Amino acid sequence: MCAQNIYDDAGFYAGYAKLPRSEEGLRAVYEWPAFQRLLPASLEGARVLDLGCGFGAYAREMRARGAASVLAVDLSERMLEEARARSSDDAITYVRASLEEFEPERRAYDLVLSTLTLHYLPDVAPLFRRVAAALVPGGRFAFSVEHPIYTAAGLGWQTAPDGTIQHWPVDRYRDEGERRTRWFVEGVVKYHRTIETYVNALIAAGLSIARLEEPETTEEVLAEHPAWREDRRRPAFLLIAADAPRG
Ligand SMILES: C[S@@+](CC[C@H](N)C(=O)[O-])C[C@H]1O[C@@H](n2cnc3c(N)ncnc32)[C@H](O)[C@@H]1O
């Protein structure tokens, strides 16, 4: 199946590029504090693979934390062009590829990360097997996706006539597969799957679950970002870390 390259759509890109997380980087990312708990204790000298790197904020952060190199992969030429413009670091290599086909080097990475990208793939099991093979013994895979509670119905917030949020419907939870939604433009294709599918695909790939996060935030952070309050009503993100066997 051919991946939808919605980030190269001019209308979609224009909307996405204006999100706070696009303009301000990781400090405007709700799930960033939780994602940091998935990272290895030290990144000193680490070889990192970033799957679906977007504007490269995570790749740059891994370098700032001591990573020796980052191979950053994305399908979108527009996203890669902006990522390259935001950094002149020779230790970050940007590559255009679809994750359905990308074959990483075997036993080459201490950390493979992927943030908010895997829900664009119809099937994660083949990629998880390639990720497991790409990790060195004891290496870590850390990823975030839209939470299955968030993706299940694909309907968004249900509101009262005055616009007040009422609830977030969870429906068709076990009906895995394509969801077409409106996000900046009509027809954005994402794939819903259960938590069970994510976790069992990791286990089937030979990885051990190290941590799972459904990010929470604090009153202090909410004071700075009041719009994030609605993310306490239903989880928007699911974060998982899994480790390769030590050898
Ligand atoms: C929501 S953005 C996340 C970007 C970045 N990881 C971040 O968290 O800031 C999703 C990214 O995944 C990329 N992407 C979507 N489907 C892909 C695929 N099949 N193969 C490779 N990249 C893909 C998009 O082009 C986009 O840059």
Side-chain angles (χ1 to χ4, degrees):
M1 191 180 303
C2 205
Q4 184 194 41
N5 185 4
I6 196 71
Y7 287 74
D8 273 347
D9 176 277
F12 180 92
Y13 180 86
Y16 185 82
K18 287 199 193 79
L19 290 177
R21 62 175 63 215
S22 301
E23 292 187 331
E24 297 165 40
L26 296 177
R27 60 174 291 278
V29 171
Y30 178 88
E31 68 281 14
W32 172 233
F35 195 84
Q36 291 176 73
R37 292 193 282 276
L38 267 50
L39 295 174
S42 168
L43 282 159
E44 211 50 56
R47 291 148 299 166
V48 177
L49 173 62
D50 182 352
L51 300 174
C53 63
F55 291 147
Y58 286 81
R60 291 191 295 280
E61 178 66 20
M62 296 308 110
R63 281 282 294 146
R65 291 176 178 226
S69 62
V70 183
L71 179 62
V73 181
D74 203 283
L75 179 63
S76 159
E77 199 48 67
R78 282 179 196 263
M79 297 300 280
L80 288 169
E81 192 183 319
E82 179 60 19
R84 289 189 186 102
R86 290 184 186 197
S87 150
S88 56
D89 183 346
D90 289 342
I92 304 178
T93 306
Y94 293 102
V95 170
R96 184 169 189 221
S98 158
L99 296 184
E100 285 91 331
E101 283 142 30
F102 178 68
E103 286 278 354
E105 190 183 335
R106 296 172 73 87
R107 290 202 165 210
Y109 300 99
D110 303 286
L111 171 67
V112 177
L113 68 88
S114 180
T115 54
L116 299 186
T117 296
L118 301 180
H119 49 261
Y120 292 105
L121 304 188
D123 187 6
V124 288
L127 179 66
F128 285 5
R129 287 195 290 274
R130 281 178 269 136
V131 166
L135 288 168
V136 299
R140 174 152 292 189
F141 179 32
F143 69 88
S144 62
V145 285
E146 288 184 354
H147 198 290
I149 283 179
Y150 184 93
T151 56
L155 295 172
W157 288 112
Q158 303 301 287
T159 53
D162 69 357
T164 314
I165 285 173
Q166 290 186 309
H167 58 266
W168 183 276
V170 176
D171 196 5
R172 302 171 60 205
Y173 184 76
R174 297 219 65 93
D175 178 11
E176 296 190 322
E178 184 179 303
R179 301 288 189 274
R180 276 180 188 268
T181 58
R182 180 180 167 79
W183 192 32
F184 309 121
V185 295
E186 290 295 342
V188 178
V189 176
K190 298 178 186 177
Y191 292 88
H192 166 70
R193 60 193 132 249
T194 62
I195 295 177
E196 179 184 284
T197 292
Y198 280 114
V199 168
N200 287 338
L202 291 167
I203 294 168
L207 301 171
S208 308
I209 308 297
R211 193 166 182 93
L212 190 149
E213 298 262 352
E214 295 170 298
E216 169 63 300
T217 194
T218 60
E219 283 301 326
E220 201 183 351
V221 173
L222 288 173
E224 201 189 328
H225 301 277
W228 291 357
R229 195 168 285 281
E230 66 186 41
D231 286 320
R232 298 197 73 241
R233 295 184 58 168
R234 53 93 183 92
F237 309 107
L238 172 68
L239 279 54
I240 304 181
D243 290 340
R246 292 217 157 263

